[in-house]
Each structure stands twice: as structure tokens, then as C-alpha cells.
């Protein structure tokens, strides 16, 4: 049976629609960094998605090439994710999309090493005659976050974020959004094939516990 991260790790990819605390372990990702409005045709964000998937599928199909990855098993490519921030802001201002910075990522199976990543970059570059130098191997230790499933348009996320912030305050935590801890989204739906009101997105915000009053 083909391994599916969403089904095997439901606590990370299929959370409830109510905010809750969860500790996210260190994971390896394919990553592309950029800036600008994610909706812009021909912009950096949409270009990053193409780069990521090209390398992700090169690795997924590696077992059909001469490059054999130790410990490889067949798997579904994990969903697209994104870390987002704006300079000088803790929370995203959705009215200023042109000021957004991002790191687009796709999770890597644990058996993929940096050497395997280097092979995939070279393989895709040769086969597709395209520059993949923006793609990096990223190890990210996310730590303690408040997580929630958002149902609906990306522009409607502030309502879900407001509920997350209330949960954070009610439970004596505080936002800990600062480099390298960012607003995190995991895209469970394809916006090209799904009505905006039915989009499913996992939202995460890094937090830390407030010190108890003396």
C-alpha cells in the first residue's frame, strides 16, 4: 500500500476545526523562498510551486531510475505548505499581499538525504532544462504551536486566526512569531478544483507559555 502522510499523521494534517496545542517535531522539506502577492500571475509564489513539485516527483519516481534511495518506499507526495510573514508585523495583514514573504515547502520522507536531494536537483535540471537553484533542503524544527483547520477562502482566515488568538490568551500562552518561527499554512485542497468556501487549510501559529505571576 502506498504510504500517505495525511492518513498516517492525521494529528498534523487533519486536525479539528477548533484551536488546540500540538508539538511539531523536526522535519525535512523541499523549500523555495520568495516575496510578493501569492495571487500574482507570473509571480514568485506561483513559480515556487512548479519548482517544488518538479523535485518532489523526481524523488518520488527515483525507484524507476538508476538512483536507488536507501530505505525507499512508495508514497503520496505530501501537501504543499507555506511559511508566511511581513516585515515588522506579528500577524499577516491580508490587505497588503504585495508585502508578503514566504517559504513554500513540501515535506520530504525521512529516508531522503541531502545527497538524494542533490541528485534530484541535477536529474531535474538535466531532464527539464530548467534552473532549480532556488530549491533548498530545509530542516525545520517547528516546536509548540496552536493549530486549527480553516474551512473557506484564504481571505477569510482572519476569523479563524482570531479564534486561535483567543485560545492562546485563554490558556496563558503568547504568540511567538519571530524569525525563524512563522505563520504556517498547509493546503489540503487544490484551489483550481475546489470552491473557495470548501477549501481546507491547516493553520499554525508558534506559541510559548507565559511565566506564572509571582
Amino acid at each position: 500500500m502506498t504510504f500517505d502522510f495525511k492518513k498516517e499523521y492525521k494529528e498534523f494534517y487533519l486536525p479539528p476545526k477548533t484551536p488546540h496545542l500540538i508539538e511539531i517535531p523536526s522535519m525535512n522539506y523541499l523549500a523555495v523562498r520568495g516575496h510578493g502577492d501569492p495571487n500574482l500571475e507570473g509571480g514568485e509564489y506561483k513559480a515556487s510551486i512548479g519548482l517544488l513539485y518538479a523535485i518532489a516527483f523526481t524523488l518520488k519516481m527515483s525507484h524507476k531510475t538508476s538512483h536507488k534511495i536507501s530505505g525507499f518506499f512508495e508514497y503520496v507526495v505530501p501537501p504543499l505548505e507555506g511559511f508566511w510573514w511581513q516585515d515588522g508585523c506579528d500577524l499577516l495583514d491580508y490587505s497588503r499581499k504585495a508585502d508578503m514573504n514566504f517559504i513554500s515547502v513540501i515535506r520530504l520522507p525521512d529516508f531522503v538525504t541531502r545527497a538524494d536531494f542533490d541528485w534530484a536537483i541535477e536529474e531535474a535540471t538535466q531532464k527539464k532544462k530548467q534552473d532549480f537553484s532556488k530549491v533548498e533542503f530545509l530542516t525545520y524544527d517547528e516546536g509548540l504551536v496552536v493549530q486549527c483547520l480553516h474551512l473557506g477562502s484564504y481571505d477569510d482566515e482572519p476569523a479563524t486566526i482570531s479564534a486561535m488568538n483567543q485560545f492562546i490568551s485563554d490558556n496563558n500562552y503568547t504568540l511567538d512569531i519571530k524569525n525563524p518561527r512563522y505563520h504556517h499554512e498547509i493546503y489540503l485542497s487544490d484551489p483550481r478544483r475546489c470552491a473557495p468556501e470548501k477549501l481546507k487549510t491547516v493553520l499554525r501559529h508558534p506559541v510559548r507559555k507565559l511565566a506564572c505571576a509571582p
Side-chain angles (χ1 to χ4, degrees), residues 6 9-10 14 34 37 39 42 48 63 66 68 76 81-82 100 105 133-134 136 154-155 158 166-167 182:
K6 295 192 300 297
Y9 298 102
K10 292 181 180 180
L14 297 173
D37 187 339
N39 298 322
S48 75
H63 66 288
S66 60
K68 304 304 180 184
V76 177
E81 309 182 33
M100 289 183 172
V105 300
S133 60
K134 287 188 176 181
E136 61 184 274
Y154 303 131
D155 287 337
Q166 188 62 54
F167 174 88
Y182 304 116

Side-chain angles (χ1 to χ4, degrees), residues 58-68 72 74 119 123 127:
T58 297
L59 288 164
K60 172 181 168 63
M61 303 307 294
S62 63
H63 66 288
K64 295 188 176 182
T65 73
S66 60
H67 183 83
K68 304 304 180 184
F72 180 93
E74 292 197 49
W119 167 84
E123 179 79 358
K127 285 193 171 182

Side-chain angles (χ1 to χ4, degrees), residues 179-190:
N179 186 8
R181 308 191 78 202
Y182 304 116
H183 171 98
H184 186 179
E185 301 184 356
I186 303 176
Y187 308 108
L188 303 179
S189 307
D190 185 341

Side-chain angles (χ1 to χ4, degrees), residues 35-37 85-87 92-93 95-101:
H35 175 84
D37 187 339
W85 73 98
Q86 290 164 320
D87 295 336
L92 292 177
D93 181 346
S95 69
R96 296 192 296 112
K97 291 185 175 69
D99 297 330
M100 289 183 172
N101 303 295

